[in-house]
Amino acid sequence: MTDARARRPLLDVVDLRTHFFTDAGVLPSVDGVSFTIDRGETLGIVGESGCGKSVTAMSILRLIPQPPGRIVGGQVLFEGVDLTTLPEPELRKVRGNDISVIFQEPMTSLNPVYTIGDQIMEAILLHQQVEEDTARAIALDMLERVGIPAAATRIDEYPHQMSGGMKQRVMIAMALSCKPKLLIADEPTTALDVTIQAQILELLKELQAAEGMGIMLITHDLGVVAETCDRVAVLYAGQVAETGATADIFDRPTHPYTLGLMQSLPDRAPPGGRLFTIDGMVPSPLDFPTGCRFRTRCPRASGTCAVPPPLHDLGGGHRVWCHHPLSADEPGELVDRNEAVEDDGTSPTWMEPPRGGGQP
Amino acid sequence: MTSDVPVAPPVEDPSYGQIVWGQFQKRRIAMASLFGLLSLVLVAVYVPLFASNKPFLWNAGDGLSSPWLLALFDRNFYENQVDIFFNTLMVFGSLAAVPVAVVFRRSRTLRRRPRQAARQRALLAALAFVVVAFGAVNAAGMQQEKTVFPKLQAQLEGQGQAVTAIYPPLPYSFRDGELTETRLPASLAHPLGTDNAGRDVFVRLLYGTRISLTIGVFAVALYITLGTIIGSIAGFYGGRVDALIQRLIEVVICIPSLFLILTVAAFIEDRSIFHIMIIIAAVAWTTPARLVRAEFLRLRNLDFVSAARAVGYREGTIIFKEILPNAIGPVLVAATFGVARAILIESTMSFLGLGDITVPSWGQILNTGRTTSIWTLILAPGFAIFLTVSLLNLVGEGFRDALDPKLRR
Amino acid sequence: MLQYTVKRILLVIPTFFMISLLIFLVLNIAPGRPGATGGAGQGESQNQEQQESYRIFKEQFNLDKPILVNTRYTLDADDARELLVTAYSIGGQASAKDRIAASDALSEYGAYLVRPLVELLDDADPAVRRKALDALVVAGQQPFENDRRGDDDARAAARDANKRIAAENQTLKERRLSADADDADIEAAAEAWKAWYLGHEDRYTYTLSEQVEIFFLDTRFAKYWGNLLHLDFGVSTVDRRPVMETLLGKLKYSLTLSTLAIIIAYSVAVPIGIFSAVRQGTRLDAAITVGLFVMYSLPTFFTGTVLLKLFTEGDPFAVFPTGDFQTMTSDPMTTWTLTKDIAWHLVLPIATYTSVALAALSRYARSGVIDVIRADYIRTARAKGLSEPVVILKHAVRNGMIPILTLLGGLLPSLVAGSVVIEVVFNIPGMGQYLYSSINLRDYNAVMAVLLASSFLALIGILLSDLSYALVDPRISFD
């Protein structure tokens, strides 16, 4: 029994589906997403804007606006308990206590009319049986730990008196004040400038080491993923395209989309060369293609892609959903982009066309 | 390719006005209210067709005549400029509407610029025609003897003379009552009964539409113009001019406007509804002024104005060609609500006996109801005001939502 | 914060001054003559007695003074001659309108005409000389001092001065020539006036500093403000009682009414708005929205009249009294019964008064909360594990209510103004009804006082709402 419990991941998301029911039609923003996070582990969720990263995160704590959004299928097992069916009062004991969230927009995620101290203490008083003095002490301690200078005075300040980086630190302090087992960080550094970004990520790593919590880090920045994450899940159009250990994904990207993402990294472009872009845009959730959703932009797409892609388990947790994955023994998957662009700027030639049928 | 292949009308990007109009059309309640308002306008214009104690046709043995038609521009019968104006609109406006409709139909296949130009020309010509006609009617200043035809008919028939007369469905005047028929309850002949002076309540209500709409539209047109000019000056020049105008606006806002309006109205002897419009405008101009000023402050530093400056346009050109069109949306919304407010103010004034006492204003009818305790005299005008104000507010809300990019559907 | 408050309060003073200037100008420029309905007619057809009483009436209310600036010290013999020639149509045909204007001017210019008229006593035209003598009788009389103000000593001194003035005026009046006076009489009178003038010459010549003082201070507006600084709104032209007294008596009714209306409107509107916002899109929300819209579009005078007729005269529903603030009775009432009685009288007016404000406020409350409910920090609050009521009441409402608080400032002037309709319909002897009767009676001082007092109340209300805004929203900076 204890063995089984230990083996069970901290968070196990199984085939999660969150749809939005709007006047224009049903938007399947998250459509069958599965992944796991273990204690002390950092999972990176990457993908372009609109691929369903944030909706996935919000669905875990059922924080999506409802209506129009609704979780229509799947399970979110947190320590074995399905959060999608948990009664609201029980769920509230999980929110902010066992699972905390840091949002993308530190500028607007704090209530402007209360002091930051009030807002941090609110969660502490709610989830821990402590007096107000103790709660304040805890809040102060958290503010110091996230590196806010002169925390003793800043605790009584209002959000508008702080900079964006400071606000995000406050958000982190608030999220960690109840020592959560899982921290969901939804693009925590997007709104901040680069030096602050590094500080915040460093801070998260330190705190994780100290508390041993799992982190779900949502980002579109592969650089961040490479530095901080143990494992990665690549999302495309509401579905997982590829998942695996960070090293595996970065060394051997198998899904054409993952490869495209990797190649579009600025540091992979030759000096003075053009940046790589994936052609086209993420399709609107209103008209996702049938079968593989990437096929409208995929240079390897073929007729078979019109049916849902199969799962290839490459071992070591590296899994990919694709009809035409790049095989491990395909070393030369990168073409010389500059040459390709100059040859024919109109066709998507960032990858060699699929050769024949049989894939491993 | 030969040129006689039929060319489909070119596909154009919708203009800003078209986008807003498209958004407006998607709001069903607002559209329905707009149609409601249009019907009110039609009622106001064509009410003599339904209610007048002048027969369309009259023959008392001395030849066929149309007292109804002759009365339309008669200063003794329709004493009020407003009625004369609406009658002009009814006769000459209807005449002008025909060619305008033709132009609109023909221009459908044109590209936007020539189409808009053609339509604008047609509308301006029609407007000019009506204005000239109104001037001519006023200059003619027709005056006829007062004849009460239903009475005359009864008298002649009493003498055994055959009389042919065709009346509008409600053969009553809004002004002259039948003293033998006071306080009648509602009946088929008098749909809402009669008041304490024997006048048909429904007919007075219908003619009241003219008064309310006129006051609403003209007062608002007046103060929108005034406010836009003042707001433009404040917003464009900024600095001391702006500060001064701001102070002035603050001062005007602090004074309870209805108090001021009533006071000024009371001190004007023989006030007409034109006085009332001016008084309302003099108090209400602050709203558009503030809107336009705010819009200027927002827009004056935007790139396109700097671009216009860089190209070397003069300041006046920048104001009117570049900035004002952007400010027009919120001002139009405010204008729609403003018409509702002006109608409410006017009816409050006439309710308190400080309006134009010669016209059948709804507020005045309601006041009669209050003093005489005749229920129809309270409920009917109250409902008429409520309906008009509601329709205007709903249309205004529809416009506001249609202008809001966040609420696009 | 303190600095902001002080600054904001200091700003009230110039604003109020501007308001008074504006109202003053409007009232004085408005056509129609004050007191015209009070018996004293106008024009030259009236007899001397009537003319005299109207002149004193104007003098008493400073209506003989120019409105904003006074340049009458520059009047010379030519101006005076012009006025006499026009007023009495000497040797020409002046129109009736010009004659009235000129004779009004002759009676209004008062002391400023004395020196020019004395110079005219040597005029070549005997008719002018004759009329100048008549005009001197009027111009030479001095206005009385205000004996209603200050401590007892000041009043006594003013009364003594007035006795002296009255005596002097009386001797001047006796110099009026009879209609059949001959040339010798006129000559004698002229000499007498010249002698009198020599004795009083310094009274009628002005130094530069006196001219400046006259320019600004011997005006209607300055006199009015002089009185205002003593909290004196003048006396009513109708009942001749101090306006201030009457106004204070009326104020308690209006304040009770509007304060109650505001409190009720806010305490009902806010919960309705929040409820409607939280249930946004449901049928109940739709029903509430429609209901509020109807209330919003119904004119107050209509609602008031219907309520009044329905619940006081209508057979089955005649439960409420037909107006007034309280039952008129000589029986002494205990505080409790009096309160109950007043409350019973106020149900209908308050309901009417509240309805429009309530509708407007609820609509704002609803949209305010709806705006906030979508905010990121509400999601943060939910993510903390707070329960829905706490999220709404603690995090959404305080933010959502800020726009409603600012609405109070805009609401106050219109609520104050709305009182005129309510008080007339329900016959409550408050400020609105006082204004209504005063404008119908052309009681300028009373009208001016009501307009000023209500503007002042509105100004204070706006000030308070600005200050509370700053208190509730920490983002407002105080510099």
Side-chain angles (χ1 to χ4, degrees), chain A:
Chain A
M1 190 66 206
T2 45
D3 262 12
R5 208 186 157 88
R7 273 200 306 279
R8 181 188 287 159
L10 179 67
L11 181 77
D12 190 0
V13 175
V14 186
D15 196 31
L16 181 70
R17 290 169 198 275
T18 303
H19 294 183
F20 286 84
F21 298 84
T22 68
D23 292 345
V26 179
L27 313 180
S29 298
V30 173
D31 207 15
V33 166
S34 304
F35 58 84
T36 61
I37 301 177
D38 277 326
R39 291 170 184 79
E41 181 189 53
T42 303
L43 173 74
I45 306 252
V46 294
E48 288 165 275
S49 308
C51 70
K53 301 178 303 237
S54 291
V55 177
T56 307
M58 294 307 118
S59 298
I60 292 172
L61 281 178
R62 303 212 317 244
L63 287 173
I64 45 166
Q66 186 175 359
R70 183 147 49 92
I71 297 173
V72 294
Q75 287 179 308
V76 175
L77 299 169
F78 179 73
E79 296 188 317
V81 179
D82 186 1
L83 298 184
T84 62
T85 55
L86 200 64
E88 188 78 22
E90 298 297 311
L91 182 68
R92 282 206 297 269
K93 288 180 191 154
V94 177
R95 284 181 187 162
N97 191 19
D98 293 328
I99 305 180
S100 288
V101 193
I102 305 171
F103 294 101
Q104 193 171 351
E105 291 292 342
M107 311 306 281
T108 54
S109 290
L110 288 167
N111 194 329
V113 300
Y114 293 107
T115 63
I116 56 164
D118 282 343
Q119 296 187 57
I120 299 176
M121 283 158 63
E122 199 177 18
I124 302 171
L125 290 169
L126 184 72
H127 295 295
Q128 302 174 23
Q129 271 62 51
V130 293
E131 293 297 309
E132 195 147 335
D133 296 350
T134 325
R136 192 180 160 90
I138 297 174
L140 196 58
D141 177 49
M142 282 315 301
L143 285 175
E144 276 164 1
R145 285 184 63 190
V146 297
I148 290 195
T153 54
R154 306 220 78 170
I155 190 169
D156 290 321
E157 287 188 358
Y158 289 95
H160 70 275
Q161 293 165 293
M162 312 190 112
S163 68
M166 283 298 144
K167 280 188 204 171
Q168 195 60 300
R169 284 168 197 265
V170 171
M171 284 298 290
I172 294 173
M174 192 190 298
L176 299 186
S177 59
C178 292
K179 303 205 181 335
K181 294 169 184 163
L182 175 67
L183 178 70
I184 300 174
D186 184 0
E187 310 217 17
T189 57
T190 313
L192 307 176
D193 60 51
V194 184
T195 48
I196 315 275
Q197 272 187 25
Q199 291 172 14
I200 296 280
L201 290 172
E202 202 52 42
L203 175 69
L204 280 179
K205 263 201 252 179
E206 281 170 32
L207 293 168
Q208 182 181 32
E211 309 288 341
M213 63 192 171
I215 295 182
M216 174 175 165
L217 180 68
I218 295 166
T219 179
H220 58 254
D221 186 340
L222 289 173
V224 169
V225 173
E227 281 169 35
T228 46
C229 296
D230 303 311
R231 288 191 305 115
V232 182
V234 179
L235 251 60
Y236 184 81
Q239 293 173 337
V240 179
E242 184 169 5
T243 175
T246 309
D248 288 344
I249 298 282
F250 273 75
D251 295 345
R252 291 184 290 118
T254 312
H255 196 285
Y257 177 62
T258 316
L259 182 69
L261 281 182
M262 297 296 166
Q263 289 190 327
S264 52
L265 280 177
D267 56 348
R268 301 237 173 155
R274 280 212 206 173
L275 283 184
F276 176 77
T277 54
I278 304 176
D279 279 15
M281 306 234 298
V282 184
S284 152
L286 270 177
D287 40 26
F288 278 152
T290 54
C292 174
R293 291 181 175 171
F294 189 57
R295 68 187 168 97
T296 47
R297 302 169 74 190
C298 181
R300 295 168 72 99
S302 69
T304 53
C305 295
V307 297
L311 163 67
H312 302 275
D313 196 332
L314 306 176
H318 190 171
R319 305 196 288 178
V320 62
W321 286 261
C322 183
H323 289 285
H324 309 296
L326 296 116
S327 54
D329 53 315
E330 270 181 296
E333 74 273 36
L334 295 171
V335 294
D336 187 338
R337 293 177 301 277
N338 293 318
E339 207 178 284
V341 168
E342 271 153 24
D343 279 350
D344 180 7
T346 55
S347 64
T349 50
W350 48 272
M351 217 179 291
E352 283 178 347
R355 314 155 213 168
Q359 296 287 333

Side-chain angles (χ1 to χ4, degrees), chain B residues 63 98 144 167 184 193 196 210 214 235 266 299 389:
Chain B
V98 178
Q144 292 175 320
Y167 287 97
L184 289 184
N196 55 334
R210 290 181 158 187
T214 311
L299 292 170
V389 170

